[in-house]
Amino acid sequence: KYHLFELKERFTDAGLPDAYLIDMKDEERKHNHSGISGVLADELYYNLQHGEQSILLLNRRGYNTFATCMDCGTVISCPNCSVALTYHKANGYLMCHYCGYSQKYNSKCTECGGEHIKLTGLGTQRIEDELASLFPDARILRMDTDTVSAVHSHEAILSQFERERVPILVGTQMVAKGLDFENVTLVGVVSADLSLYVDSFRATERTFSLLTQVVGRAGRGKKSGRAVIQTFTPDHEVIRFAATQDYDSFYAQEIGLRRLMDYPPFRSLFTLTVSGRDEAAVLQVCHKLRRSLEIWVSSGKVREGERPIILGPAPATVAKVNNRYRYRLTLLSPNHKEIRLLLSQLLQAAGQDKESRGVSVFVDIDPYD
């Protein structure tokens, strides 16, 4: 089912951009606590002087991603979701990117009354501000879900970037894919580590894909391109492979790990997610589903050498969204008719169980996210 198709030559026969890995730990030691390293600042200045354009990627919107009380250690979180609120400087609000909850930013802690609230973490708004401070005369465009709307669509922003030759475009992963601007000669990845340690077996694959895509936006015309990749883990193999566009080495490493863990493509990964407002009821349904799966596994109906692996129940990556608790079971098994029929029957049984009212169950096969 799987075949390898290779593109041996780059578009317009242009060479690959020169990639530079910047260790942000060194920047911290130099007391540079901004999101823009000295090398990236110099490269941006060079482009401004030569009339060339630059694209910066930071896959996190907002201004600061955490607001923490320095007196009691409380992280200001969403009351409806198990996530920290993100500070948006443009309107002065702390906002939840899952349910949409927002509250006016107050420098006083709601838990202890302390007045030492520290805002930390980088978002696209803060990078835009730092760029404006470094280059006060330069025009900067930002493209994320806060700036994109029906009126000001991403097509309109990209058209303005190309037509008016705006020097710098900063954005989330929207700026990484499929863009073809011949005057873009510099790409900067502000934080290459963001997607590397998320709770997904595809984390390294997605990081490699995102980095290779955004690096490929530079140098697509007659001028050569450069890519500055900022990271706290410059020796990580995935980041090094992405910087050099070395797919073969990345694949060899990743397929070995997948084989060792029995992850896709060697087996399918079925995720059963159970959600509801009553956490105890959600867990009860999870345990019922697990018992049913265990009975099936021990029934002797499983094919020889295909004994499934059952994991969980465990909280989802974000355990509560919009006041609904979320737990999941993970099943590693070959994807065949029997397992799909079993899961279908379990979903129907859960929907008809009177003790499961208010609890929903759904299944993802090899979920991407």
Side-chain angles (χ1 to χ4, degrees):
K1 293 183 180 180
Y2 292 87
H3 304 276
L4 176 64
F5 295 91
E6 297 181 273
L7 295 175
K8 295 290 189 181
E9 298 175 1
R10 199 175 181 222
F11 177 71
T12 69
D13 295 327
L16 289 173
D18 294 325
Y20 306 97
L21 289 178
I22 307 302
D23 189 345
M24 293 304 285
K25 297 190 295 296
D26 290 340
E27 296 295 314
E28 292 278 349
R29 295 186 191 103
K30 297 173 185 175
H31 304 291
N32 176 12
H33 303 297
S34 74
I36 308 295
S37 65
V39 172
L40 181 55
D42 291 342
E43 294 293 335
L44 288 166
Y45 181 76
Y46 176 91
N47 269 23
L48 288 170
Q49 295 297 104
H50 291 80
E52 299 173 12
Q53 292 172 284
S54 308
I55 293 177
L56 268 61
L57 166 72
L58 174 60
N59 204 19
R60 185 171 285 170
R61 63 190 177 102
Y63 195 87
N64 294 106
T65 52
F66 293 96
T68 309
C69 175
M70 302 308 292
D71 294 324
C72 70
T74 297
V75 175
I76 301 176
S77 302
C78 175
N80 309 317
C81 310
S82 54
V83 294
L85 294 176
T86 299
Y87 175 61
H88 287 247
K89 187 178 180 182
N91 58 13
Y93 273 77
L94 293 166
M95 301 177 68
C96 175
H97 292 168
Y98 282 83
C99 72
Y101 170 85
S102 64
Q103 66 182 52
K104 191 73 176 175
Y105 171 67
N106 190 331
S107 59
K108 183 175 287 189
C109 177
T110 55
E111 294 295 319
C112 72
E115 297 186 0
H116 301 92
I117 303 295
K118 185 176 181 179
L119 296 169
T120 55
L122 289 172
T124 48
Q125 291 179 13
R126 180 173 166 184
I127 293 300
E128 183 183 26
D129 261 16
E130 291 182 357
L131 290 170
S133 298
L134 284 170
F135 311 109
D137 298 326
R139 292 180 62 198
I140 302 165
L141 280 177
R142 175 165 56 89
M143 190 166 77
D144 53 30
T145 51
D146 295 318
T147 60
V148 170
S149 63
V151 177
H152 203 51
S153 66
H154 73 277
E155 288 94 345
I157 295 173
L158 294 175
S159 176
Q160 181 184 1
F161 177 66
E162 181 176 32
R163 184 181 64 254
E164 300 177 12
R165 297 220 165 192
V166 178
I168 302 173
L169 172 66
V170 57
T172 54
Q173 63 181 355
M174 297 179 186
V175 304
K177 302 176 181 181
L179 306 186
D180 182 23
F181 301 120
E182 65 174 19
N183 196 43
V184 172
T185 57
L186 173 66
V187 162
V189 181
V190 175
S191 181
D193 310 304
L194 279 181
S195 58
L196 199 53
Y197 302 107
V198 298
D199 181 19
S200 170
F201 76 94
R202 297 188 195 273
T204 52
E205 176 187 351
R206 293 172 65 182
T207 299
F208 180 86
S209 177
L210 184 63
L211 291 180
T212 52
Q213 284 175 348
V214 73
V215 167
R217 300 312 99 207
R220 298 179 68 83
K222 296 178 181 178
K223 302 173 183 176
S224 60
R226 296 107 62 216
V228 177
I229 301 173
Q230 300 182 167
T231 172
F232 285 95
T233 54
D235 295 323
H236 198 291
E237 294 90 343
V238 172
I239 291 176
R240 288 194 171 277
F241 293 152
T244 57
Q245 308 268 313
D246 186 356
Y247 175 77
D248 290 340
S249 296
F250 167 73
Y251 172 81
Q253 175 179 281
E254 184 67 12
I255 203 68
L257 290 172
R258 298 280 185 93
R259 184 181 290 107
L260 182 67
M261 299 295 291
D262 232 354
Y263 277 166
F266 300 100
R267 286 196 183 197
S268 283
L269 187 146
F270 299 85
T271 303
L272 291 79
T273 303
V274 184
S275 70
R277 292 184 176 275
D278 184 344
E279 188 174 12
V282 170
L283 278 169
Q284 184 180 15
V285 172
C286 280
H287 287 299
K288 283 185 178 181
L289 289 169
R290 169 145 193 151
R291 282 197 298 272
S292 298
L293 289 170
E294 288 173 339
I295 291 170
W296 173 71
V297 170
S298 60
S299 67
K301 296 179 182 179
V302 178
R303 298 179 186 181
E304 188 69 27
E306 294 186 356
R307 187 177 180 84
I309 300 170
I310 306 170
L311 303 173
T317 306
V318 180
K320 187 175 73 166
V321 173
N322 208 10
N323 287 315
R324 291 184 67 88
Y325 294 92
R326 308 193 304 172
Y327 283 78
R328 66 187 181 195
L329 289 164
T330 301
L331 178 69
L332 281 163
S333 168
N335 186 354
H336 47 64
K337 186 177 180 179
E338 290 91 338
I339 186 67
R340 293 195 299 272
L341 179 61
L342 171 69
L343 293 174
S344 176
Q345 291 170 346
L346 287 178
L347 288 179
Q348 291 177 18
Q352 295 168 2
D353 188 352
K354 292 182 180 180
E355 295 182 1
S356 304
R357 285 180 180 173
V359 176
S360 61
V361 184
F362 62 89
V363 178
D364 283 317
I365 303 175
D366 295 335
Y368 185 70
D369 194 357

